[in-house]
Amino acid sequence: MRVAMPLTRVLAKVAHIRTTIGWITLGALLAAFALGLLLSRELSRPLAGMSLVADRLAQGDYSARARGLPADDHGRLGDTLNRLGSEMTVKISELQRLENVRRDFVANVSHEIKTPLTSIKGYVETLLSGAINDPVHSIRFLEKIDRNAERLTSLV
């Protein structure tokens, strides 16, 4: 028994099958590309938000926080950024407090030193303007200068 078919019909069938396979392949590639694009956007969305938070932290806005974090590596990275912002806020508050303490200390020391220096300068000017020749006042002025110099020494 022999079955025969013209070669043109066979070639037409093969061409039709090739065209069908080509369209199916093209459709599958387009679907894979679209799915890959959607997945990559979904996976990179938390990173984009964390990048904005990191930029704000770098610019000194330590109140910036990452929100809506997934429970994966991205979420752990966001939690780390949030902790960094909180720690920086605490450290800056502590630095500001220390700066206020330093400023108050310098103001107090300046005042404490200025008072005896002003007194010493006044008595010396009085002595230089002629009171050095007055034995009663000159001894009293020199004693006050000595007391204020001792006060400065104890302050230092």
Side-chain angles (χ1 to χ4, degrees):
M1 181 182 261
R2 177 174 168 244
V3 176
M5 184 185 283
L7 189 56
T8 56
R9 277 184 66 197
V10 171
L11 291 176
K13 278 286 189 192
V14 168
H16 176 70
I17 290 172
R18 280 186 181 162
T19 303
T20 303
I21 290 174
W23 283 112
I24 290 172
T25 302
L26 180 63
L29 285 173
L30 289 174
F33 177 75
L35 184 61
L37 186 63
L38 287 174
L39 285 175
S40 69
R41 282 190 181 168
E42 190 62 32
L43 290 174
S44 66
R45 187 174 316 197
L47 290 176
M50 284 183 276
S51 177
L52 293 175
V53 168
D55 286 342
R56 286 178 56 196
L57 288 173
Q59 293 170 0
D61 179 7
Y62 301 115
S63 66
R65 296 292 182 268
R67 310 240 186 265
L69 300 171
D72 60 4
D73 289 340
H74 294 142
R76 284 194 298 280
L77 177 60
D79 287 339
T80 301
L81 281 173
N82 289 343
R83 275 195 320 274
L84 175 66
S86 296
E87 289 174 14
M88 290 303 295
T89 300
V90 168
K91 297 229 186 268
I92 285 175
S93 296
E94 179 64 12
L95 285 173
Q96 287 171 338
R97 186 189 70 76
L98 289 173
E99 175 59 20
N100 289 338
V101 167
R102 184 200 65 79
R103 191 177 309 117
D104 291 345
F105 175 76
V106 168
N108 288 336
V109 167
S110 175
H111 176 74
E112 290 297 321
I113 289 174
K114 194 181 252 185
T115 301
L117 279 175
T118 302
S119 181
I120 289 170
K121 185 157 176 56
Y123 287 121
V124 167
E125 286 174 358
T126 303
L127 287 170
L128 289 173
S129 67
I132 197 153
N133 297 323
D134 181 356
V136 175
H137 287 100
S138 64
I139 295 296
R140 191 168 57 96
F141 287 175
L142 288 170
E143 287 171 347
K144 288 185 178 196
I145 290 170
D146 186 50
R147 272 197 311 273
N148 281 304
E150 287 296 324
R151 184 173 173 204
L152 279 174
T153 301
S154 69
L155 284 173
V156 172

